Amino acid sequence: AVTTPVLQGTHVDTEGNVRRFNLAQLRPWEVSFVDLKELPLDQFHGLKYAVILVDFKTLTIDCELIKDKVSTAWAVKTLLNRRAVQLLPYQCTIYYDGDRSNNKISEVALSMNCRSEPTIPYRQSLNMAELAIRIVMDAARKLCLHAKMHPTYLGLAVCCAAYNHNRIASAAR
């Protein structure tokens, strides 16, 4: 029997707070969240959306820019391949917004030997990717403002902000 510490009902931490996941038992990429962010009009090379993948254990944020919502599944597969999630010796679970535009994510997750679970759309308390989007979008706006770049390059700044977030987080350890 395979036991996974992913979602065992609820977990009460040492401070008495109820948590959905036991962070101490989780392994990297065992629980991850994915979401889609629509970028402002007239983006560089017509890349209108940013797909954000976040690991719950390490808080690693990955970003891929796409032109249309149909490419969301391709972007998720690219992000999972980049982190070699399909090669991990344990079951990984991807949580995504349960709206119709994200239904292909479950098929991609299955092809990558991962479980997929839909969540209620637009709820920051249920989808960690919503918080990651806020973090990288704020950082991207600041990067564009500081560099005096045109808002056309906001999508590229989002990818840069995600990269910087990961570098700062790993350098602090």
PDB file of all heavy atoms in Angstrom, residues 129-167:
ATOM      1  N   ALA A 129      -1.199  29.126  -6.522  1.00  0.00           N
ATOM      2  CA  ALA A 129      -0.757  29.827  -7.724  1.00  0.00           C
ATOM      3  C   ALA A 129      -1.341  31.237  -7.792  1.00  0.00           C
ATOM      4  O   ALA A 129      -0.734  32.130  -8.376  1.00  0.00           O
ATOM      5  CB  ALA A 129      -1.124  29.038  -8.970  1.00  0.00           C
ATOM      6  N   GLU A 130      -2.509  31.452  -7.188  1.00  0.00           N
ATOM      7  CA  GLU A 130      -3.085  32.802  -7.153  1.00  0.00           C
ATOM      8  C   GLU A 130      -2.163  33.756  -6.385  1.00  0.00           C
ATOM      9  O   GLU A 130      -1.926  34.883  -6.805  1.00  0.00           O
ATOM     10  CB  GLU A 130      -4.469  32.785  -6.507  1.00  0.00           C
ATOM     11  CG  GLU A 130      -5.507  31.956  -7.214  1.00  0.00           C
ATOM     12  CD  GLU A 130      -6.089  32.617  -8.453  1.00  0.00           C
ATOM     13  OE1 GLU A 130      -5.802  33.796  -8.701  1.00  0.00           O
ATOM     14  OE2 GLU A 130      -6.818  31.932  -9.177  1.00  0.00           O
ATOM     15  N   LEU A 131      -1.627  33.289  -5.274  1.00  0.00           N
ATOM     16  CA  LEU A 131      -0.682  34.099  -4.507  1.00  0.00           C
ATOM     17  C   LEU A 131       0.608  34.298  -5.282  1.00  0.00           C
ATOM     18  O   LEU A 131       1.169  35.399  -5.308  1.00  0.00           O
ATOM     19  CB  LEU A 131      -0.387  33.428  -3.166  1.00  0.00           C
ATOM     20  CG  LEU A 131       0.679  34.095  -2.290  1.00  0.00           C
ATOM     21  CD1 LEU A 131       0.248  35.500  -1.898  1.00  0.00           C
ATOM     22  CD2 LEU A 131       0.949  33.255  -1.070  1.00  0.00           C
ATOM     23  N   ALA A 132       1.090  33.262  -5.951  1.00  0.00           N
ATOM     24  CA  ALA A 132       2.314  33.370  -6.747  1.00  0.00           C
ATOM     25  C   ALA A 132       2.134  34.366  -7.887  1.00  0.00           C
ATOM     26  O   ALA A 132       3.059  35.131  -8.197  1.00  0.00           O
ATOM     27  CB  ALA A 132       2.712  32.007  -7.294  1.00  0.00           C
ATOM     28  N   ILE A 133       0.953  34.376  -8.486  1.00  0.00           N
ATOM     29  CA  ILE A 133       0.677  35.341  -9.555  1.00  0.00           C
ATOM     30  C   ILE A 133       0.767  36.756  -9.016  1.00  0.00           C
ATOM     31  O   ILE A 133       1.364  37.628  -9.635  1.00  0.00           O
ATOM     32  CB  ILE A 133      -0.706  35.065 -10.193  1.00  0.00           C
ATOM     33  CG1 ILE A 133      -0.621  33.839 -11.085  1.00  0.00           C
ATOM     34  CG2 ILE A 133      -1.195  36.273 -10.979  1.00  0.00           C
ATOM     35  CD1 ILE A 133      -1.952  33.382 -11.623  1.00  0.00           C
ATOM     36  N   ARG A 134       0.185  36.978  -7.850  1.00  0.00           N
ATOM     37  CA  ARG A 134       0.250  38.319  -7.257  1.00  0.00           C
ATOM     38  C   ARG A 134       1.690  38.727  -6.981  1.00  0.00           C
ATOM     39  O   ARG A 134       2.097  39.857  -7.255  1.00  0.00           O
ATOM     40  CB  ARG A 134      -0.586  38.372  -5.976  1.00  0.00           C
ATOM     41  CG  ARG A 134      -0.855  39.794  -5.539  1.00  0.00           C
ATOM     42  CD  ARG A 134      -1.687  39.863  -4.296  1.00  0.00           C
ATOM     43  NE  ARG A 134      -0.767  39.767  -3.170  1.00  0.00           N
ATOM     44  CZ  ARG A 134      -1.014  39.121  -2.047  1.00  0.00           C
ATOM     45  NH1 ARG A 134      -2.142  38.506  -1.888  1.00  0.00           N
ATOM     46  NH2 ARG A 134      -0.140  39.097  -1.090  1.00  0.00           N
ATOM     47  N   ILE A 135       2.490  37.783  -6.468  1.00  0.00           N
ATOM     48  CA  ILE A 135       3.894  38.074  -6.154  1.00  0.00           C
ATOM     49  C   ILE A 135       4.675  38.432  -7.406  1.00  0.00           C
ATOM     50  O   ILE A 135       5.370  39.450  -7.456  1.00  0.00           O
ATOM     51  CB  ILE A 135       4.541  36.876  -5.422  1.00  0.00           C
ATOM     52  CG1 ILE A 135       3.966  36.738  -4.017  1.00  0.00           C
ATOM     53  CG2 ILE A 135       6.060  37.006  -5.373  1.00  0.00           C
ATOM     54  CD1 ILE A 135       4.344  35.437  -3.318  1.00  0.00           C
ATOM     55  N   VAL A 136       4.576  37.596  -8.450  1.00  0.00           N
ATOM     56  CA  VAL A 136       5.388  37.850  -9.651  1.00  0.00           C
ATOM     57  C   VAL A 136       4.851  39.029 -10.462  1.00  0.00           C
ATOM     58  O   VAL A 136       5.638  39.739 -11.087  1.00  0.00           O
ATOM     59  CB  VAL A 136       5.548  36.591 -10.538  1.00  0.00           C
ATOM     60  CG1 VAL A 136       6.321  35.519  -9.823  1.00  0.00           C
ATOM     61  CG2 VAL A 136       4.255  36.074 -11.063  1.00  0.00           C
ATOM     62  N   MET A 137       3.539  39.262 -10.454  1.00  0.00           N
ATOM     63  CA  MET A 137       3.006  40.424 -11.186  1.00  0.00           C
ATOM     64  C   MET A 137       3.442  41.728 -10.534  1.00  0.00           C
ATOM     65  O   MET A 137       3.815  42.679 -11.231  1.00  0.00           O
ATOM     66  CB  MET A 137       1.474  40.354 -11.267  1.00  0.00           C
ATOM     67  CG  MET A 137       0.948  39.319 -12.221  1.00  0.00           C
ATOM     68  SD  MET A 137       1.492  39.537 -13.928  1.00  0.00           S
ATOM     69  CE  MET A 137       0.583  40.984 -14.405  1.00  0.00           C
ATOM     70  N   ASP A 138       3.428  41.784  -9.204  1.00  0.00           N
ATOM     71  CA  ASP A 138       3.912  42.989  -8.513  1.00  0.00           C
ATOM     72  C   ASP A 138       5.394  43.220  -8.807  1.00  0.00           C
ATOM     73  O   ASP A 138       5.805  44.338  -9.099  1.00  0.00           O
ATOM     74  CB  ASP A 138       3.692  42.875  -7.004  1.00  0.00           C
ATOM     75  CG  ASP A 138       2.235  42.995  -6.604  1.00  0.00           C
ATOM     76  OD1 ASP A 138       1.414  43.414  -7.456  1.00  0.00           O
ATOM     77  OD2 ASP A 138       1.911  42.673  -5.446  1.00  0.00           O
ATOM     78  N   ALA A 139       6.174  42.156  -8.735  1.00  0.00           N
ATOM     79  CA  ALA A 139       7.606  42.283  -9.011  1.00  0.00           C
ATOM     80  C   ALA A 139       7.850  42.660 -10.468  1.00  0.00           C
ATOM     81  O   ALA A 139       8.739  43.475 -10.765  1.00  0.00           O
ATOM     82  CB  ALA A 139       8.319  40.978  -8.676  1.00  0.00           C
ATOM     83  N   ALA A 140       7.071  42.118 -11.393  1.00  0.00           N
ATOM     84  CA  ALA A 140       7.241  42.422 -12.816  1.00  0.00           C
ATOM     85  C   ALA A 140       6.910  43.884 -13.107  1.00  0.00           C
ATOM     86  O   ALA A 140       7.616  44.553 -13.876  1.00  0.00           O
ATOM     87  CB  ALA A 140       6.363  41.501 -13.655  1.00  0.00           C
ATOM     88  N   ARG A 141       5.844  44.391 -12.488  1.00  0.00           N
ATOM     89  CA  ARG A 141       5.499  45.809 -12.675  1.00  0.00           C
ATOM     90  C   ARG A 141       6.614  46.707 -12.162  1.00  0.00           C
ATOM     91  O   ARG A 141       6.974  47.701 -12.789  1.00  0.00           O
ATOM     92  CB  ARG A 141       4.190  46.127 -11.967  1.00  0.00           C
ATOM     93  CG  ARG A 141       2.982  45.615 -12.687  1.00  0.00           C
ATOM     94  CD  ARG A 141       1.681  46.119 -12.047  1.00  0.00           C
ATOM     95  NE  ARG A 141       0.572  45.348 -12.524  1.00  0.00           N
ATOM     96  CZ  ARG A 141       0.015  44.326 -11.889  1.00  0.00           C
ATOM     97  NH1 ARG A 141       0.466  43.968 -10.699  1.00  0.00           N
ATOM     98  NH2 ARG A 141      -0.996  43.675 -12.402  1.00  0.00           N
ATOM     99  N   LYS A 142       7.187  46.330 -11.020  1.00  0.00           N
ATOM    100  CA  LYS A 142       8.284  47.121 -10.465  1.00  0.00           C
ATOM    101  C   LYS A 142       9.522  47.046 -11.353  1.00  0.00           C
ATOM    102  O   LYS A 142      10.219  48.044 -11.527  1.00  0.00           O
ATOM    103  CB  LYS A 142       8.615  46.646  -9.052  1.00  0.00           C
ATOM    104  CG  LYS A 142       7.532  46.985  -8.053  1.00  0.00           C
ATOM    105  CD  LYS A 142       7.789  46.375  -6.707  1.00  0.00           C
ATOM    106  CE  LYS A 142       6.607  46.594  -5.784  1.00  0.00           C
ATOM    107  NZ  LYS A 142       6.751  45.887  -4.523  1.00  0.00           N
ATOM    108  N   LEU A 143       9.796  45.859 -11.913  1.00  0.00           N
ATOM    109  CA  LEU A 143      10.925  45.717 -12.828  1.00  0.00           C
ATOM    110  C   LEU A 143      10.747  46.595 -14.059  1.00  0.00           C
ATOM    111  O   LEU A 143      11.685  47.278 -14.493  1.00  0.00           O
ATOM    112  CB  LEU A 143      11.090  44.255 -13.265  1.00  0.00           C
ATOM    113  CG  LEU A 143      11.712  43.297 -12.269  1.00  0.00           C
ATOM    114  CD1 LEU A 143      11.563  41.856 -12.758  1.00  0.00           C
ATOM    115  CD2 LEU A 143      13.174  43.621 -12.049  1.00  0.00           C
ATOM    116  N   CYS A 144       9.546  46.579 -14.638  1.00  0.00           N
ATOM    117  CA  CYS A 144       9.271  47.395 -15.822  1.00  0.00           C
ATOM    118  C   CYS A 144       9.382  48.892 -15.498  1.00  0.00           C
ATOM    119  O   CYS A 144       9.937  49.665 -16.282  1.00  0.00           O
ATOM    120  CB  CYS A 144       7.883  47.097 -16.381  1.00  0.00           C
ATOM    121  SG  CYS A 144       7.786  45.568 -17.302  1.00  0.00           S
ATOM    122  N   LEU A 145       8.864  49.276 -14.346  1.00  0.00           N
ATOM    123  CA  LEU A 145       8.925  50.685 -13.953  1.00  0.00           C
ATOM    124  C   LEU A 145      10.373  51.126 -13.733  1.00  0.00           C
ATOM    125  O   LEU A 145      10.784  52.195 -14.200  1.00  0.00           O
ATOM    126  CB  LEU A 145       8.123  50.889 -12.661  1.00  0.00           C
ATOM    127  CG  LEU A 145       7.014  51.894 -12.788  1.00  0.00           C
ATOM    128  CD1 LEU A 145       5.762  51.335 -12.184  1.00  0.00           C
ATOM    129  CD2 LEU A 145       7.405  53.166 -12.128  1.00  0.00           C
ATOM    130  N   HIS A 146      11.136  50.310 -13.009  1.00  0.00           N
ATOM    131  CA  HIS A 146      12.515  50.662 -12.704  1.00  0.00           C
ATOM    132  C   HIS A 146      13.377  50.717 -13.965  1.00  0.00           C
ATOM    133  O   HIS A 146      14.242  51.582 -14.093  1.00  0.00           O
ATOM    134  CB  HIS A 146      13.109  49.650 -11.712  1.00  0.00           C
ATOM    135  CG  HIS A 146      14.500  49.966 -11.291  1.00  0.00           C
ATOM    136  ND1 HIS A 146      14.811  51.033 -10.478  1.00  0.00           N
ATOM    137  CD2 HIS A 146      15.679  49.371 -11.577  1.00  0.00           C
ATOM    138  CE1 HIS A 146      16.111  51.082 -10.293  1.00  0.00           C
ATOM    139  NE2 HIS A 146      16.661  50.081 -10.950  1.00  0.00           N
ATOM    140  N   ALA A 147      13.130  49.808 -14.908  1.00  0.00           N
ATOM    141  CA  ALA A 147      13.918  49.772 -16.140  1.00  0.00           C
ATOM    142  C   ALA A 147      13.358  50.711 -17.202  1.00  0.00           C
ATOM    143  O   ALA A 147      13.919  50.810 -18.294  1.00  0.00           O
ATOM    144  CB  ALA A 147      13.957  48.357 -16.689  1.00  0.00           C
ATOM    145  N   LYS A 148      12.253  51.393 -16.888  1.00  0.00           N
ATOM    146  CA  LYS A 148      11.592  52.299 -17.823  1.00  0.00           C
ATOM    147  C   LYS A 148      11.223  51.579 -19.123  1.00  0.00           C
ATOM    148  O   LYS A 148      11.382  52.113 -20.223  1.00  0.00           O
ATOM    149  CB  LYS A 148      12.452  53.526 -18.095  1.00  0.00           C
ATOM    150  CG  LYS A 148      12.698  54.339 -16.854  1.00  0.00           C
ATOM    151  CD  LYS A 148      13.593  55.520 -17.097  1.00  0.00           C
ATOM    152  CE  LYS A 148      13.790  56.229 -15.782  1.00  0.00           C
ATOM    153  NZ  LYS A 148      15.034  56.888 -15.643  1.00  0.00           N
ATOM    154  N   MET A 149      10.744  50.347 -18.956  1.00  0.00           N
ATOM    155  CA  MET A 149      10.329  49.537 -20.103  1.00  0.00           C
ATOM    156  C   MET A 149       8.862  49.779 -20.409  1.00  0.00           C
ATOM    157  O   MET A 149       8.073  50.087 -19.523  1.00  0.00           O
ATOM    158  CB  MET A 149      10.548  48.050 -19.820  1.00  0.00           C
ATOM    159  CG  MET A 149      11.991  47.654 -19.807  1.00  0.00           C
ATOM    160  SD  MET A 149      12.342  45.947 -19.346  1.00  0.00           S
ATOM    161  CE  MET A 149      10.939  45.026 -19.757  1.00  0.00           C
ATOM    162  N   HIS A 150       8.509  49.612 -21.659  1.00  0.00           N
ATOM    163  CA  HIS A 150       7.126  49.740 -22.102  1.00  0.00           C
ATOM    164  C   HIS A 150       6.315  48.565 -21.532  1.00  0.00           C
ATOM    165  O   HIS A 150       6.848  47.459 -21.406  1.00  0.00           O
ATOM    166  CB  HIS A 150       7.086  49.739 -23.636  1.00  0.00           C
ATOM    167  CG  HIS A 150       5.777  50.178 -24.179  1.00  0.00           C
ATOM    168  ND1 HIS A 150       4.760  49.297 -24.417  1.00  0.00           N
ATOM    169  CD2 HIS A 150       5.310  51.408 -24.519  1.00  0.00           C
ATOM    170  CE1 HIS A 150       3.712  49.952 -24.881  1.00  0.00           C
ATOM    171  NE2 HIS A 150       4.022  51.234 -24.957  1.00  0.00           N
ATOM    172  N   PRO A 151       5.045  48.769 -21.192  1.00  0.00           N
ATOM    173  CA  PRO A 151       4.221  47.676 -20.666  1.00  0.00           C
ATOM    174  C   PRO A 151       4.082  46.480 -21.616  1.00  0.00           C
ATOM    175  O   PRO A 151       3.626  45.419 -21.207  1.00  0.00           O
ATOM    176  CB  PRO A 151       2.859  48.336 -20.435  1.00  0.00           C
ATOM    177  CG  PRO A 151       3.145  49.774 -20.298  1.00  0.00           C
ATOM    178  CD  PRO A 151       4.350  50.060 -21.132  1.00  0.00           C
ATOM    179  N   THR A 152       4.499  46.626 -22.851  1.00  0.00           N
ATOM    180  CA  THR A 152       4.482  45.519 -23.803  1.00  0.00           C
ATOM    181  C   THR A 152       5.336  44.355 -23.313  1.00  0.00           C
ATOM    182  O   THR A 152       5.089  43.206 -23.657  1.00  0.00           O
ATOM    183  CB  THR A 152       5.015  46.006 -25.173  1.00  0.00           C
ATOM    184  OG1 THR A 152       4.177  47.061 -25.621  1.00  0.00           O
ATOM    185  CG2 THR A 152       5.022  44.905 -26.198  1.00  0.00           C
ATOM    186  N   TYR A 153       6.330  44.656 -22.525  1.00  0.00           N
ATOM    187  CA  TYR A 153       7.273  43.635 -22.062  1.00  0.00           C
ATOM    188  C   TYR A 153       6.930  43.078 -20.678  1.00  0.00           C
ATOM    189  O   TYR A 153       7.765  42.440 -20.051  1.00  0.00           O
ATOM    190  CB  TYR A 153       8.692  44.213 -22.059  1.00  0.00           C
ATOM    191  CG  TYR A 153       9.127  44.660 -23.421  1.00  0.00           C
ATOM    192  CD1 TYR A 153       9.159  46.004 -23.751  1.00  0.00           C
ATOM    193  CD2 TYR A 153       9.471  43.738 -24.388  1.00  0.00           C
ATOM    194  CE1 TYR A 153       9.546  46.417 -25.013  1.00  0.00           C
ATOM    195  CE2 TYR A 153       9.855  44.128 -25.658  1.00  0.00           C
ATOM    196  CZ  TYR A 153       9.882  45.475 -25.961  1.00  0.00           C
ATOM    197  OH  TYR A 153      10.252  45.872 -27.208  1.00  0.00           O
ATOM    198  N   LEU A 154       5.711  43.302 -20.221  1.00  0.00           N
ATOM    199  CA  LEU A 154       5.317  42.819 -18.898  1.00  0.00           C
ATOM    200  C   LEU A 154       5.405  41.295 -18.800  1.00  0.00           C
ATOM    201  O   LEU A 154       5.831  40.756 -17.783  1.00  0.00           O
ATOM    202  CB  LEU A 154       3.907  43.295 -18.542  1.00  0.00           C
ATOM    203  CG  LEU A 154       3.432  42.927 -17.146  1.00  0.00           C
ATOM    204  CD1 LEU A 154       4.267  43.640 -16.086  1.00  0.00           C
ATOM    205  CD2 LEU A 154       1.969  43.253 -16.977  1.00  0.00           C
ATOM    206  N   GLY A 155       5.029  40.582 -19.848  1.00  0.00           N
ATOM    207  CA  GLY A 155       5.097  39.121 -19.838  1.00  0.00           C
ATOM    208  C   GLY A 155       6.521  38.621 -19.626  1.00  0.00           C
ATOM    209  O   GLY A 155       6.763  37.692 -18.843  1.00  0.00           O
ATOM    210  N   LEU A 156       7.466  39.243 -20.313  1.00  0.00           N
ATOM    211  CA  LEU A 156       8.871  38.856 -20.140  1.00  0.00           C
ATOM    212  C   LEU A 156       9.346  39.212 -18.736  1.00  0.00           C
ATOM    213  O   LEU A 156      10.135  38.473 -18.133  1.00  0.00           O
ATOM    214  CB  LEU A 156       9.739  39.544 -21.191  1.00  0.00           C
ATOM    215  CG  LEU A 156       9.429  39.182 -22.642  1.00  0.00           C
ATOM    216  CD1 LEU A 156      10.279  40.014 -23.592  1.00  0.00           C
ATOM    217  CD2 LEU A 156       9.636  37.712 -22.889  1.00  0.00           C
ATOM    218  N   ALA A 157       8.845  40.316 -18.207  1.00  0.00           N
ATOM    219  CA  ALA A 157       9.207  40.706 -16.844  1.00  0.00           C
ATOM    220  C   ALA A 157       8.633  39.730 -15.819  1.00  0.00           C
ATOM    221  O   ALA A 157       9.250  39.490 -14.779  1.00  0.00           O
ATOM    222  CB  ALA A 157       8.738  42.130 -16.564  1.00  0.00           C
ATOM    223  N   VAL A 158       7.473  39.129 -16.106  1.00  0.00           N
ATOM    224  CA  VAL A 158       6.883  38.127 -15.209  1.00  0.00           C
ATOM    225  C   VAL A 158       7.808  36.913 -15.120  1.00  0.00           C
ATOM    226  O   VAL A 158       8.079  36.398 -14.034  1.00  0.00           O
ATOM    227  CB  VAL A 158       5.465  37.724 -15.682  1.00  0.00           C
ATOM    228  CG1 VAL A 158       4.981  36.487 -14.962  1.00  0.00           C
ATOM    229  CG2 VAL A 158       4.495  38.857 -15.475  1.00  0.00           C
ATOM    230  N   CYS A 159       8.304  36.455 -16.268  1.00  0.00           N
ATOM    231  CA  CYS A 159       9.241  35.314 -16.272  1.00  0.00           C
ATOM    232  C   CYS A 159      10.521  35.664 -15.523  1.00  0.00           C
ATOM    233  O   CYS A 159      11.057  34.848 -14.767  1.00  0.00           O
ATOM    234  CB  CYS A 159       9.564  34.897 -17.700  1.00  0.00           C
ATOM    235  SG  CYS A 159       8.181  34.105 -18.526  1.00  0.00           S
ATOM    236  N   CYS A 160      11.004  36.877 -15.717  1.00  0.00           N
ATOM    237  CA  CYS A 160      12.213  37.334 -15.013  1.00  0.00           C
ATOM    238  C   CYS A 160      11.953  37.407 -13.506  1.00  0.00           C
ATOM    239  O   CYS A 160      12.807  37.009 -12.708  1.00  0.00           O
ATOM    240  CB  CYS A 160      12.630  38.691 -15.556  1.00  0.00           C
ATOM    241  SG  CYS A 160      14.130  39.346 -14.823  1.00  0.00           S
ATOM    242  N   ALA A 161      10.784  37.889 -13.115  1.00  0.00           N
ATOM    243  CA  ALA A 161      10.444  37.986 -11.691  1.00  0.00           C
ATOM    244  C   ALA A 161      10.353  36.602 -11.053  1.00  0.00           C
ATOM    245  O   ALA A 161      10.791  36.402  -9.920  1.00  0.00           O
ATOM    246  CB  ALA A 161       9.130  38.739 -11.513  1.00  0.00           C
ATOM    247  N   ALA A 162       9.801  35.632 -11.778  1.00  0.00           N
ATOM    248  CA  ALA A 162       9.728  34.262 -11.259  1.00  0.00           C
ATOM    249  C   ALA A 162      11.133  33.690 -11.087  1.00  0.00           C
ATOM    250  O   ALA A 162      11.439  33.060 -10.070  1.00  0.00           O
ATOM    251  CB  ALA A 162       8.904  33.376 -12.188  1.00  0.00           C
ATOM    252  N   TYR A 163      11.986  33.936 -12.065  1.00  0.00           N
ATOM    253  CA  TYR A 163      13.373  33.464 -11.980  1.00  0.00           C
ATOM    254  C   TYR A 163      14.076  34.109 -10.779  1.00  0.00           C
ATOM    255  O   TYR A 163      14.751  33.437  -9.997  1.00  0.00           O
ATOM    256  CB  TYR A 163      14.119  33.788 -13.280  1.00  0.00           C
ATOM    257  CG  TYR A 163      15.577  33.449 -13.236  1.00  0.00           C
ATOM    258  CD1 TYR A 163      16.008  32.141 -13.432  1.00  0.00           C
ATOM    259  CD2 TYR A 163      16.538  34.427 -12.993  1.00  0.00           C
ATOM    260  CE1 TYR A 163      17.355  31.817 -13.388  1.00  0.00           C
ATOM    261  CE2 TYR A 163      17.883  34.117 -12.943  1.00  0.00           C
ATOM    262  CZ  TYR A 163      18.281  32.815 -13.147  1.00  0.00           C
ATOM    263  OH  TYR A 163      19.613  32.507 -13.091  1.00  0.00           O
ATOM    264  N   ASN A 164      13.917  35.427 -10.628  1.00  0.00           N
ATOM    265  CA  ASN A 164      14.540  36.128  -9.503  1.00  0.00           C
ATOM    266  C   ASN A 164      13.998  35.633  -8.167  1.00  0.00           C
ATOM    267  O   ASN A 164      14.755  35.503  -7.200  1.00  0.00           O
ATOM    268  CB  ASN A 164      14.316  37.632  -9.621  1.00  0.00           C
ATOM    269  CG  ASN A 164      15.144  38.243 -10.725  1.00  0.00           C
ATOM    270  OD1 ASN A 164      16.142  37.673 -11.158  1.00  0.00           O
ATOM    271  ND2 ASN A 164      14.715  39.398 -11.205  1.00  0.00           N
ATOM    272  N   HIS A 165      12.706  35.356  -8.097  1.00  0.00           N
ATOM    273  CA  HIS A 165      12.105  34.828  -6.869  1.00  0.00           C
ATOM    274  C   HIS A 165      12.775  33.508  -6.476  1.00  0.00           C
ATOM    275  O   HIS A 165      13.113  33.303  -5.310  1.00  0.00           O
ATOM    276  CB  HIS A 165      10.604  34.623  -7.064  1.00  0.00           C
ATOM    277  CG  HIS A 165       9.943  33.884  -5.952  1.00  0.00           C
ATOM    278  ND1 HIS A 165       9.543  34.504  -4.788  1.00  0.00           N
ATOM    279  CD2 HIS A 165       9.637  32.580  -5.805  1.00  0.00           C
ATOM    280  CE1 HIS A 165       9.015  33.603  -3.978  1.00  0.00           C
ATOM    281  NE2 HIS A 165       9.056  32.428  -4.581  1.00  0.00           N
ATOM    282  N   ASN A 166      12.972  32.646  -7.453  1.00  0.00           N
ATOM    283  CA  ASN A 166      13.598  31.348  -7.172  1.00  0.00           C
ATOM    284  C   ASN A 166      15.050  31.508  -6.772  1.00  0.00           C
ATOM    285  O   ASN A 166      15.534  30.796  -5.895  1.00  0.00           O
ATOM    286  CB  ASN A 166      13.477  30.425  -8.383  1.00  0.00           C
ATOM    287  CG  ASN A 166      12.049  30.082  -8.700  1.00  0.00           C
ATOM    288  OD1 ASN A 166      11.178  30.154  -7.832  1.00  0.00           O
ATOM    289  ND2 ASN A 166      11.789  29.732  -9.934  1.00  0.00           N
ATOM    290  N   ARG A 167      15.772  32.422  -7.381  1.00  0.00           N
ATOM    291  CA  ARG A 167      17.182  32.634  -7.050  1.00  0.00           C
ATOM    292  C   ARG A 167      17.327  33.241  -5.653  1.00  0.00           C
ATOM    293  O   ARG A 167      18.201  32.836  -4.889  1.00  0.00           O
ATOM    294  CB  ARG A 167      17.848  33.559  -8.076  1.00  0.00           C
ATOM    295  CG  ARG A 167      17.942  32.988  -9.463  1.00  0.00           C
ATOM    296  CD  ARG A 167      18.883  31.833  -9.539  1.00  0.00           C
ATOM    297  NE  ARG A 167      20.214  32.300  -9.256  1.00  0.00           N
ATOM    298  CZ  ARG A 167      21.272  31.526  -9.167  1.00  0.00           C
ATOM    299  NH1 ARG A 167      21.154  30.249  -9.334  1.00  0.00           N
ATOM    300  NH2 ARG A 167      22.448  32.021  -8.903  1.00  0.00           N
TER     301      ARG A 167
END
